Amino acid sequence: MAGVVVVGVGPGIGLAVAKRFVREGMSAGLIARSESTVKAAAENLAGADVLPLTADVTDEAGLRSALDRIVEAYGVPEVVVYNAALIQSDRIGDLTAQQHRDAWAVNVVGAITTAAHLAPAMAERGSGSFLITGGMPQPKPDYVSLSLGKAGVRALITLLHQQYGAAGVHAASVTVSGGVGPGTGWEPDEIANHYWRLHQQAPADWIEEIVI
């Protein structure tokens, strides 16, 4: 079975998603900004066929290089999960223009880079899922940059569906409405099941967003 790529494989949703897909027999390409984070994720997946790599999603060349290494190792992925995000509390006027650009680069542009690099080959093959971790189903004034970023993610999913859906690529998001963690109502392992559910949907049943 073709593999999964998880961009932003932190200790919460990213790792849980990797575990969920590895359990189905997939290889996993793991990307995180820090070596310690991606190494810890790989150790949690001991026994699976895993390639851990470091890349900053705001570094286009570095991210594309990491994605190329995964494709070289495992072929064009069957599933791509973009889970990177800059989660911070800020109100209108709190951030400089550059700080807004920095947040947008993580929350949206990294996803665009990942899609631009992998979705054409997935479409050429005629199958695959491109899934993004969404959030902020309603904008919140205490989370301006994140609200804008997740709105951008929602638009990106629609655009990806319009461009690649007819070729067999399922673009969708899992919109998480609250803070993730044990006992919060948003358990990482439970959230990960929604990614698998999206990937398993037949084209006639495709949906673009699950809100949890």
Side-chain angles (χ1 to χ4, degrees):
M1 185 180 291
V4 61
V5 175
V6 181
V7 180
V9 64
I13 294 174
L15 177 58
V17 168
K19 286 182 176 179
R20 184 66 182 85
F21 283 87
V22 161
R23 198 166 78 215
E24 302 296 332
M26 288 188 175
S27 60
L30 310 177
I31 297 176
R33 184 174 59 178
S34 77
E35 184 176 357
S36 60
T37 298
V38 77
K39 182 179 178 181
E43 290 172 351
N44 268 280
L45 296 168
D49 190 3
V50 173
L51 177 59
L53 299 169
T54 59
D56 188 326
V57 297
T58 66
D59 175 4
E60 181 180 2
L63 178 56
R64 287 180 181 270
S65 177
L67 295 171
D68 280 340
R69 288 183 61 186
I70 293 170
V71 172
E72 289 168 5
Y74 301 127
V76 176
E78 188 62 32
V79 187
V80 179
V81 176
Y82 188 85
N83 184 61
L86 180 56
I87 300 173
Q88 60 188 6
S89 175
D90 52 66
R91 296 177 66 88
I92 291 174
D94 287 349
L95 301 184
T96 65
Q98 184 59 54
Q99 287 172 319
H100 274 293
R101 286 190 288 268
D102 291 342
W104 187 259
V106 176
N107 294 331
V108 182
V109 179
I112 297 172
T113 299
T114 302
H117 203 73
L118 296 176
M122 296 166 73
E124 183 176 354
R125 183 187 55 209
S127 68
S129 300
F130 194 97
L131 310 176
I132 304 178
T133 302
M136 312 303 290
Q138 296 297 326
K140 294 183 179 180
D142 288 332
Y143 292 89
V144 171
S145 63
L146 189 62
S147 294
L148 293 171
K150 294 308 183 183
V153 161
R154 190 172 286 109
L156 177 59
I157 287 296
T158 298
L159 294 169
L160 289 171
H161 175 72
Q162 291 171 346
Q163 185 164 348
Y164 297 110
V169 179
H170 184 193
S173 65
V174 176
T175 296
V176 182
S177 303
V180 176
T184 64
W186 292 279
E187 300 274 352
D189 290 343
E190 291 299 320
I191 294 170
N193 287 329
H194 291 290
Y195 291 80
W196 179 251
R197 171 189 166 198
L198 286 168
H199 177 58
Q200 289 295 100
Q201 288 177 337
D205 299 323
W206 279 358
I207 59 175
E208 290 187 21
E209 182 180 27
I210 293 177
V211 180
I212 55 175

